[in-house]
Amino acid sequence: MDKLFLLSQISLLDELPMEELQIIDEMSEMKPVKKGTIIFSPEQPIEALFLLKKGQVRLFKTNQNGKQFTLDILVDGNIFGETSSLALTDDDTYAEAMTETYLCMISKAEFETFIEKNPKIAIKLINILSTRLKDLYSLSEKIALGDVKYRIIYLLLKLSEKTGRRKNEWQTIEMKLTHQDVANMVGSSRETTSAIMSQLKKEGIIKKTLRLSIHVERSNQLLSEL
């Protein structure tokens, strides 16, 4: 797989000319990561930024009882991690490869030198941070105020907006997502989540063919009733 081609697909870098992409290509190391691998954790922090070129990565935290809460699921073209001057995660966050994944790692020193020469990238990073914080606050509000059914609808709608393709009233969710993943993200049990997902299928809110899809208009109407 051509590393330079994959770099060019990352949203953070889509405005860079080829010569600057080649600089990143030379200073970064691409490596495959097996499904289930913990990329970093509070016990094993890594001060670096990771470019997710291909695959799916879950960011999550755990409480004192070991229960996991998923903060975000990242797909191709995302960036995560932290350096002393930039944090896209925090010290309590775990990152796990949900599928076979290709990552490119940039060290703190290399990244900060690159940012000094490319201020436009710094602006894009600020935009990424702002969007991620907005999404997290919005999800937290729905989790606090809504019951599990509405939390699931809201989550699936947001994931479809992030990754999906729209066809008429339906929008796909282009990522591998288990009922346990959904349960972790909305703070519920897998059994409850599975029962509600079945109910949503019967109500015509979601459907499953090759990919899970959500009915956008019906979902927005239900959420507006909260």
Side-chain angles (χ1 to χ4, degrees):
M1 193 171 295
D2 179 21
K3 185 169 77 158
L4 192 58
F5 169 76
L6 288 174
L7 275 173
S8 70
Q9 306 307 301
I10 294 176
S11 58
L12 177 68
L13 309 177
D14 57 10
E15 294 178 8
L16 290 183
M18 185 57 65
E19 58 267 23
E20 292 181 347
L21 282 174
Q22 288 173 337
I23 294 172
I24 297 178
D25 180 60
E26 292 169 0
M27 75 181 189
S28 61
E29 175 188 0
M30 184 177 81
K31 63 177 183 177
V33 179
K34 292 183 179 180
K35 177 181 177 181
T37 300
I38 299 296
I39 300 161
F40 59 75
S41 68
E43 295 77 25
Q44 293 182 310
I46 299 177
E47 195 171 80
L49 289 182
F50 295 88
L51 306 177
L52 175 53
K53 291 196 283 296
K54 191 170 183 63
Q56 196 168 302
V57 169
R58 180 170 72 109
L59 303 179
F60 68 95
K61 293 187 177 186
T62 60
N63 63 17
Q64 293 179 343
N65 299 320
K67 185 176 181 180
Q68 297 180 0
F69 178 79
T70 301
L71 300 171
D72 204 354
I73 295 178
L74 308 178
V75 293
D76 304 3
N78 269 274
I79 184 169
F80 62 99
E82 65 178 296
T83 69
S84 58
S85 57
L86 176 74
L88 294 172
T89 58
D90 63 34
D91 294 339
D92 298 326
T93 301
Y94 294 77
E96 176 190 25
M98 296 180 68
T99 63
E100 297 297 313
T101 297
Y102 286 88
L103 290 176
C104 194
M105 187 173 78
I106 302 178
S107 71
K108 166 192 169 184
E110 290 169 328
F111 172 74
E112 292 180 351
T113 298
F114 182 74
I115 283 293
E116 288 174 1
K117 297 178 180 179
N118 297 272
K120 288 183 179 179
I121 292 290
I123 294 173
K124 294 184 77 173
L125 283 168
I126 291 171
N127 290 335
I128 289 174
L129 273 172
S130 299
T131 299
R132 203 168 285 177
L133 283 171
K134 181 180 178 183
D135 289 345
L136 182 58
Y137 287 142
S138 188
L139 177 59
S140 298
E141 182 181 16
K142 295 298 180 184
I143 287 174
L145 299 179
D147 63 27
V148 177
K149 176 181 178 180
Y150 291 99
R151 297 182 219 165
I152 291 174
I153 293 172
Y154 178 79
L155 171 65
L156 296 180
L157 188 60
K158 286 300 178 183
L159 293 178
S160 75
E161 290 171 357
K162 180 189 293 189
T163 69
R165 299 176 183 177
R166 181 76 178 261
K167 186 175 181 180
N168 299 323
E169 67 270 29
W170 292 94
Q171 192 156 266
T172 59
I173 298 170
E174 299 288 330
M175 60 169 59
K176 293 182 179 180
L177 200 65
T178 67
H179 285 187
Q180 186 64 61
D181 293 328
V182 175
N184 288 340
M185 292 192 80
V186 300
S188 182
S189 68
R190 186 191 59 78
E191 293 77 13
T192 298
T193 297
S194 295
I196 292 174
M197 296 277 280
S198 296
Q199 178 189 349
L200 292 175
K201 286 179 183 178
K202 292 178 182 178
E203 295 175 358
I205 305 299
I206 61 175
K207 66 178 181 178
K208 180 69 179 291
T209 51
L210 291 177
R211 294 287 187 185
L212 184 65
S213 299
I214 186 165
H215 195 292
V216 177
E217 281 77 14
R218 289 179 187 171
S219 299
N220 281 319
Q221 183 178 0
L222 285 170
L223 291 173
S224 68
E225 297 171 359
L226 279 178

